[in-house]
Amino acid sequence: MVPGSLFKKSEFLNKPIAVRHIAPALLSRPGPTPVAALFFQAFEALMTQKKKFVFTDRLIKQLPSHDPSSASKSAEYSDATVIGLRAVVGVNGNKSFSFRYQLVGGRKRCARIGTFPAISVSEARKIALEMRAVVDRGGDPQERVDRMKAMPTFAQFWDDEYAPYAIQAKKSFRNDESKVRIHLKPRFGPLRLCDIGVRDIQLHHAAMRASHTAATANRHLALLSAIFRKAVEWGRIDKNPAAGIKPFREVNQHQRFLTSDEIARIFQAMEGEANKTAVAALKLLLLTGTRREEALQARWEHVDLDAGQWWLPVTKAGRGRYVALSGGANDLLASLPSRGKSPWVFPGRDGDKPLNNPRKAFGRILESAGVEHLRIHDLRHSFASLAVNAGATLYQVQGLLGHSSAQMTQRYAHLADNGLRDASQAVANVVMDAVKRSVIRDGDSPAQSA
């Protein structure tokens, strides 16, 4: 017979291949049938009954639904062209592609590619070959998928990973924890790390600037950047969304310094404050210019009253330093009841931990003294201003405050106006004396010539 010619059904049905594969199709069609079409149908029938064959869109489409009475949930067919490419057929007839592979360590895995016909055979092959290339290079095609499935929310990452690290590594952890609890968790807590973008960070940064100050907003930006930087370092995300966001310009035009009258009123109000430990800590802050946490974390083992020195093992600058104790500071420390009883200079209620924060006691003292708009950190600024007004140079103030650079001490330069004014006046006197001498010489010249 010639392909494409017509024949009678009775002439062909006795052939074995016809009986097995073509007869059902032939009997279902009335009249004569092209021979080429029958042979093509026979080929398709043979292919779809095999578990491995060369995939085509037409053959995949003709795959039968999986037998619901089977112990397995789906039937799987292998592509003879791309090793590992599979076609999966469910009991409802839905078809999809997957890629089976084995990692270097021997672990076998299966990656889902997509559903048919949304993804064609050619597309499935292309994706499977890309996955095969990753495996051949020693990687895992599902590494990113696995990471996305295990991606923690912002709250989970803070609680389970970042906070345990930061509590040991960061001196500012208590401040960071407060920012996260009050502001960052309510805004970012339920979001996955990978779902927080640059826009989200910028909106929060702007919102904090509107409700607080530029400095506060910038501290939030710095904290977020530190959190996401660790997330990148630990392989949780690929990019830090806070990186590259410009901080707001901070304008510190006004600095609060205590006057002599305010100091007197504050010390008088301290006499009526019940929390004597907090009172002593606040006094030491003003007498030494140290930072709040430096004073609250003070231990007796670091205080040498005979030498008049106090060692700070941990400072904001990242290195330890000695604090020179004045007579008043030395007497204050010598009078504390914790001496010889607690390792902490300013112990908390249970004695095993240091005083947490004298903020409430400080507020009561200010209210009693009638002093407004003063922060605990302003005691440090006041110490610096008193030192400058007493004749200390900016270089000396830098040493007293433990500043790592002279630039940080320049904020107190305007307090030395009297010394600068005297120096300026001395220059002016020299200039004026030179002018007077010149005038006198010019005045004498005519007389001499006469």
Side-chain angles (χ1 to χ4, degrees), residues 84-272:
L85 179 59
R86 302 288 194 270
V88 182
V89 184
V91 294
N92 56 1
N94 291 339
K95 302 173 179 67
S96 62
F97 294 109
S98 62
F99 176 68
R100 289 192 177 277
Y101 60 98
Q102 184 173 332
L103 298 176
V104 176
R107 182 187 178 191
K108 295 181 179 180
R109 303 202 67 184
C110 181
R112 188 177 186 277
I113 294 177
T115 58
F116 176 84
I119 293 182
S120 65
V121 169
S122 61
E123 291 174 322
R125 284 197 179 112
K126 181 180 179 182
I127 295 173
L129 288 173
E130 292 173 351
M131 291 184 174
R132 171 58 59 191
V134 174
V135 174
D136 291 343
R137 288 193 293 267
D140 186 348
Q142 296 189 92
E143 181 180 358
R144 180 173 178 81
V145 175
D146 292 342
R147 189 170 62 172
M148 293 299 289
K149 288 181 179 179
M151 182 67 64
T153 64
F154 180 88
Q156 290 171 338
F157 182 74
W158 168 266
D159 293 337
D160 301 337
E161 300 182 49
Y162 188 83
Y165 153 79
I167 198 172
Q168 300 295 333
K170 296 188 66 177
K171 299 185 294 293
S172 61
F173 174 74
R174 287 199 297 177
N175 292 333
D176 292 349
E177 191 278 331
S178 177
K179 293 183 181 72
V180 171
R181 175 171 41 83
I182 298 174
H183 299 285
L184 300 184
K185 272 190 177 181
R187 189 176 187 94
F188 301 110
L191 299 177
R192 295 188 306 171
L193 289 180
C194 60
D195 295 332
I196 301 174
V198 176
R199 177 178 178 273
D200 302 306
I201 304 297
Q202 288 178 326
L203 289 177
H204 176 72
H205 189 213
M208 292 304 300
R209 175 66 181 87
S211 60
H212 293 72
T213 64
T216 300
N218 290 343
R219 301 296 87 75
H220 276 243
L221 177 62
L223 175 57
L224 284 168
S225 184
I227 293 173
F228 283 107
R229 188 164 55 247
K230 276 299 172 187
V232 172
E233 182 180 334
W234 294 340
R236 285 300 196 178
I237 53 177
D238 297 324
K239 186 178 179 181
N240 180 357
I245 298 178
K246 294 183 178 180
F248 293 116
R249 183 169 178 266
E250 298 178 23
V251 182
N252 298 318
Q253 294 181 341
H254 177 71
Q255 302 247 354
R256 181 71 164 90
F257 305 109
L258 285 170
T259 64
S260 298
D261 178 65
E262 288 176 327
I263 292 174
R265 286 170 15 219
I266 286 176
F267 270 62
Q268 184 177 2
M270 285 178 171
E271 298 299 322

Side-chain angles (χ1 to χ4, degrees), residues 396-413:
Q396 290 173 324
V397 173
Q398 177 185 345
L400 290 172
L401 297 180
H403 282 162
S404 57
S405 67
Q407 183 179 1
M408 301 175 67
T409 316
Q410 287 300 315
R411 70 178 70 182
Y412 306 109

Side-chain angles (χ1 to χ4, degrees), residues 340-373:
K341 297 180 181 179
S342 171
W344 304 102
V345 175
F346 304 109
R349 291 182 180 180
D350 58 5
D352 295 331
K353 296 179 180 179
L355 179 67
N356 182 32
N357 194 335
R359 178 175 52 84
K360 292 183 179 180
F362 187 61
R364 293 191 295 267
I365 292 170
L366 294 182
E367 184 178 2
S368 176
V371 175
E372 298 179 342
H373 309 302

Side-chain angles (χ1 to χ4, degrees), residues 387-439:
V388 172
N389 289 330
T393 65
L394 291 180
Y395 178 78
Q396 290 173 324
V397 173
Q398 177 185 345
L400 290 172
L401 297 180
H403 282 162
S404 57
S405 67
Q407 183 179 1
M408 301 175 67
T409 316
Q410 287 300 315
R411 70 178 70 182
Y412 306 109
H414 68 283
L415 299 174
D417 280 350
N418 291 336
L420 295 175
R421 190 174 296 106
D422 292 341
S424 177
Q425 186 60 48
V427 174
N429 292 339
V430 173
V431 173
M432 295 307 297
D433 288 344
V435 171
K436 289 179 180 178
R437 289 195 297 271
S438 175
V439 170

